[in-house]
Amino acid sequence: KAKESGRNQYHYFAPSMQQQVNRRVELEQLLRKAIANNELAVFYQPIIELQTGQLYGFEALTRWPHHDQFIAPDEFIPVAEESGLISELGEWMLMRSTSDIAALNTKLGLDCCLSANISSQQYRLGFNATTLRHILRQTGFKPANLALEITESILLDDDQAILAWLEGLRATGAHLSIDDFGTGYSSLSYLRRFPINTIKIDKSFIHEFAHAPDSQNLVRAILSMAASLGLSVIAEGVEHVAQLEGLKAMECDLVQGYVYAKPMSLEELEIWCSEFAQEHTQSLA
Ligand code: C2E
Ligand code: MG
Ligand code: MG
Ligand code: MG
């Protein structure tokens, strides 16, 4: 198409497309090496019980440190998905995070949950209940304390096969969450058809919260629908106290966002947990 529209434009567009391709190829090679050399890390972001102010658990978020900065997951996760590296990355992340949080729970006398993102590509590449059971057995993580986060998009695929896959994962004892809820083409009937436990309201709704009454109404509607279906709800991307108070008034169960904490390394998390426990005890006293 660029070629048809003239020689000048062809020369104008071609290098940038080539650069994009090069960047992809380069990132894929770098990622492959980073995984092999064990250079990836998992960060953890706290999830809080809104009504009691207690610590509920953590979401695991993979980090790729590279030349004293981080390459964003929004950049490398798609590369991992397209190259198939997501299979290895995803299993490594589950192994790392269940092992980290099992150790943290033991060390601090906690019983915290762990929430981990699973890509729909992992389904296509063969990640399943057998793999999950193997990982849980290796790290000794309590299955009922694990939630796997999937996105709505996967539920649009071949119904029966996806249903069997999800039921298999549920049968390990792990829970299932819908991530970025409200951003996909959801018919909502899938919430009854599939064995879903939790929905995570996408941060875009929370961010519009203060200014747009429509967003508030939408969140309220999601909460009431979830309650009637017996699903728990996590509000994501909560940055301000005003949002927190709005959600509390709506009786939202769980929140996650910068207002409490950013994702952090296991070392930082351990300190954060100790401080949080202290503050919480003090505020009760
Ligand atoms: P997600 O699963 O929706 O994770 C939440 C994202 O929101 C994280 O971005 C988190 O850092 C960010 N966040 C948390 N609180 C706030 C807040 O208050 N405000 C704002 N603006 N953002 C907040 P992150 O870590 O950059 O990850 C981006 C996405 O990459 C994740 O979105 C997830 O879909 C994907 N991802 C990350 N790690 C993994 C992984 O190990 N496996 C898979 N399959 N996907 C992953
Ligand atoms: Mg997530
Ligand atoms: Mg996600
Ligand atoms: Mg999300």
Side-chain angles (χ1 to χ4, degrees):
K1 196 177 176 193
K3 204 170 186 176
E4 284 164 17
S5 49
R7 197 177 161 80
N8 288 336
Q9 283 188 16
Y10 180 81
H11 281 285
Y12 179 77
F13 283 113
S16 92
M17 267 169 56
Q18 191 57 48
Q19 277 166 1
Q20 279 180 35
V21 172
N22 289 349
R23 172 84 177 152
R24 269 289 152 113
V25 171
E26 191 199 354
L27 269 184
E28 184 185 327
Q29 285 166 349
L30 283 172
L31 182 60
R32 194 179 298 276
K33 253 189 260 169
I35 294 172
N37 298 337
N38 202 23
E39 286 166 15
L40 299 187
V42 183
F43 274 27
Y44 301 95
Q45 185 178 33
I47 301 169
I48 309 292
E49 281 176 17
L50 189 48
Q51 305 304 326
T52 63
Q54 302 248 27
L55 179 58
Y56 171 80
F58 316 104
E59 177 171 5
L61 295 156
T62 299
R63 292 291 178 263
W64 180 6
H66 185 66
H67 297 323
D68 33 86
Q69 47 176 3
F70 288 102
I71 298 178
D74 288 334
E75 189 167 16
F76 73 79
I77 294 292
V79 172
E81 288 175 335
E82 280 164 32
S83 61
L85 286 167
I86 193 68
S87 195
E88 207 181 324
L89 188 158
E91 285 172 31
W92 168 84
M93 182 275 292
L94 272 178
M95 189 77 92
R96 176 81 271 140
S97 59
T98 53
S99 156
D100 281 354
I101 301 307
L104 186 81
N105 277 340
T106 303
K107 189 165 178 186
L108 301 181
L110 300 171
D111 191 30
C112 282
C113 294
L114 173 69
S115 204
N117 295 284
I118 301 294
S119 158
S120 52
Q121 276 305 319
Q122 286 176 266
Y123 160 73
R124 289 176 197 110
L125 294 166
F127 172 80
N128 61 21
T130 308
T131 331
L132 179 61
R133 226 180 249 112
H134 173 76
I135 293 171
L136 291 169
R137 211 178 291 132
Q138 288 236 324
T139 61
F141 194 82
K142 194 157 86 184
N145 277 0
L146 178 67
L148 302 176
E149 299 187 5
I150 56 169
T151 50
E152 288 162 298
S153 61
I154 194 172
L155 306 176
L156 300 171
D157 279 9
D158 177 5
D159 247 27
Q160 284 312 310
I162 298 287
L163 182 61
W165 182 67
L166 293 176
E167 282 176 341
L169 293 173
R170 268 295 282 134
T172 66
H175 292 94
L176 298 173
S177 303
I178 301 296
D179 203 355
D180 309 331
F181 182 82
T183 60
Y185 300 90
S186 36
S187 71
L188 294 187
S189 64
Y190 76 76
L191 290 172
R192 277 188 297 119
R193 224 170 38 231
F194 297 104
I196 305 301
N197 306 99
T198 305
I199 58 185
K200 299 189 77 173
I201 303 180
D202 190 66
K203 50 179 175 285
S204 57
F205 299 112
I206 309 300
H207 292 169
E208 292 164 10
F209 214 77
H211 327 285
D214 279 358
S215 281
Q216 289 199 25
N217 291 334
L218 211 73
V219 171
R220 198 176 286 113
I222 293 172
L223 286 165
S224 101
M225 175 203 64
S228 70
L229 291 172
L231 302 169
S232 66
V233 176
I234 302 177
E236 281 197 286
V238 184
E239 294 180 354
H240 305 292
V241 176
Q243 295 163 342
L244 212 54
E245 279 165 357
L247 289 163
K248 195 168 184 177
M250 291 180 192
E251 294 179 42
C252 179
D253 307 333
L254 300 161
V255 287
Q256 178 184 347
Y258 297 165
V259 71
Y260 280 110
K262 293 199 168 176
M264 57 196 130
S265 71
L266 182 64
E267 291 72 28
E268 293 168 312
L269 184 68
E270 195 182 320
I271 297 166
W272 185 90
C273 285
S274 307
E275 286 174 359
F276 185 82
Q278 237 167 17
E279 276 168 38
H280 191 69
T281 325
Q282 274 165 12
S283 69
L284 288 180

